Amino acid sequence: MGCRIDKWLWEVRLYKTRSLAAEACKKGQIMVDDVQAKSSREVKIGDVVSVRKAPIVYRYEVLGLPTGRIGAKLVVDYVRDVTTPEMKELLEVLKVDQANNRAKGTGRPTKKERRDLEEFFYNS
């Protein structure tokens, strides 16, 4: 006995709505055991589900099939994150890079930049 992949993704809180999960399947972002999955594909306990959310691919092992959407604290009973450490490290590097890589002169100045400007103009 299995469960539809779009329904399972929604039930274990990987997607906010079932229609978003189905759309991800349609776009080819969901794979079950390294095979692209349609939204009607059934998942079974022991399957490995890959979810591509740019820039990395998350991998989850199916531990159980819930009967409905479950609370966030219960997700660990149904899903095990088996994403490779390299992917998680890549995500951290990209987060740090995005935070520190704003082109100078674009957008509003940060608080630090504003203080530096005020110090330059008023204390010179």
Side-chain angles (χ1 to χ4, degrees), residues 59-90:
R59 293 176 60 85
Y60 302 99
E61 183 179 353
V62 179
L63 299 178
L65 303 172
T67 56
R69 189 159 166 99
I70 57 175
K73 291 181 180 179
L74 300 176
V75 169
V76 294
D77 297 337
Y78 296 94
V79 176
R80 182 176 346 152
D81 187 2
V82 292
T83 306
T84 60
E86 295 85 31
M87 285 290 180
K88 290 181 181 180
E89 188 176 307
L90 174 66

Side-chain angles (χ1 to χ4, degrees), residues 2 10 14 17 22-23 25 34 38 49 79 84 104 113 118:
W10 169 74
L14 294 177
T17 65
E23 188 175 322
C25 291
D34 297 324
K38 292 183 179 180
V49 178
V79 176
T84 60
K104 297 292 181 194
E113 290 171 340
E118 286 176 356

Side-chain angles (χ1 to χ4, degrees), residues 4 6 8 12 30 46 75 80-81 85 91 101 111 117 119:
R4 287 176 56 109
D6 61 341
W8 183 83
V12 297
I30 308 298
V75 169
R80 182 176 346 152
D81 187 2
L91 182 62
N101 195 12
K111 187 181 277 190
L117 283 170
E119 183 180 338

